[in-house]
Amino acid sequence: GCGDCRAMMQLLLAPALAAYFLTSLWLLKRPRILHPAKRLAFRARHVSHRGGAGERIENTMEAFRHAMECGTEMLELDCVLTRDGEVVISHDTDLYRQAAVRGDIGDLDYQITTALAEIGESHAWRRCSRTFQQSQSTWRSKWTNPG
């Protein structure tokens, strides 16, 4: 009856689960069996995130030029479309962090975003400069007053 079916299921289920577990463990240790390594067109050893965020104002031509001067092999940047279909380089879709203005880039025309970018560049420069000065003073106090 039904008791025989349960016994038979238990007899088959235990070895099946053990085989599944051992096979999974074996494959976990050898991931290239299921996922062979891809042949890359090139291997970048130095990637500048947003053109080297933290060293220059991120996503600006100045940041990209500086990264290239430092020997970067790849620039990472984010693009957003304006309402009229123009491409703008920006990590955020919102303008607040960059220009201290509330609004999404996708809701504005290109000419408006470029005007805001000029305003924002000075805002970002003040913010970046203040952050740099704070980190520099923290670094100095850490190394001149150890312990």
Side-chain angles (χ1 to χ4, degrees), residues 47-69:
V47 178
S48 293
H49 182 69
R50 299 183 207 163
E55 295 180 21
R56 298 288 189 271
I57 298 173
E58 66 185 46
N59 287 325
T60 61
M61 288 305 295
E62 179 188 359
F64 298 138
R65 281 189 198 100
H66 175 71
M68 296 303 292
E69 289 168 4

Side-chain angles (χ1 to χ4, degrees), residues 9-61:
M9 288 290 283
Q10 288 174 347
L11 265 170
L12 294 175
L13 192 59
L17 285 175
Y20 175 79
F21 175 77
L22 292 172
T23 303
S24 296
L25 190 62
W26 186 76
L27 288 171
L28 184 65
K29 299 288 185 184
R30 297 163 185 82
R32 296 286 176 233
I33 291 173
L34 294 177
H35 307 285
K38 295 178 182 173
R39 293 179 54 94
L40 302 175
F42 69 97
R43 184 175 300 270
R45 293 173 302 241
H46 188 267
V47 178
S48 293
H49 182 69
R50 299 183 207 163
E55 295 180 21
R56 298 288 189 271
I57 298 173
E58 66 185 46
N59 287 325
T60 61
M61 288 305 295

Side-chain angles (χ1 to χ4, degrees), residues 126-144:
R126 284 192 305 274
R127 183 173 41 79
C128 186
S129 176
R130 188 170 44 250
T131 304
F132 178 73
Q133 288 171 356
Q134 288 169 348
S135 63
Q136 198 174 28
S137 68
T138 302
W139 182 84
R140 277 196 189 116
S141 67
K142 186 181 208 178
W143 290 100
T144 55

Side-chain angles (χ1 to χ4, degrees), residues 26-119:
W26 186 76
L27 288 171
L28 184 65
K29 299 288 185 184
R30 297 163 185 82
R32 296 286 176 233
I33 291 173
L34 294 177
H35 307 285
K38 295 178 182 173
R39 293 179 54 94
L40 302 175
F42 69 97
R43 184 175 300 270
R45 293 173 302 241
H46 188 267
V47 178
S48 293
H49 182 69
R50 299 183 207 163
E55 295 180 21
R56 298 288 189 271
I57 298 173
E58 66 185 46
N59 287 325
T60 61
M61 288 305 295
E62 179 188 359
F64 298 138
R65 281 189 198 100
H66 175 71
M68 296 303 292
E69 289 168 4
C70 290
T72 196
E73 296 172 318
M74 182 184 294
L75 295 171
E76 181 277 338
L77 56 97
D78 302 291
C79 299
V80 182
L81 285 177
T82 60
R83 179 173 56 194
D84 54 350
E86 296 292 330
V87 177
V88 176
I89 297 174
S90 176
H91 175 72
D92 305 313
T93 57
D94 179 70
L95 290 163
Y96 188 74
R97 188 171 66 92
Q98 296 167 328
V101 174
R102 293 280 180 206
D104 284 344
I105 293 171
D107 296 336
L108 302 170
D109 290 332
Y110 178 74
Q111 285 186 332
I112 296 171
T113 59
T114 54
L116 290 173
E118 289 175 16
I119 295 166

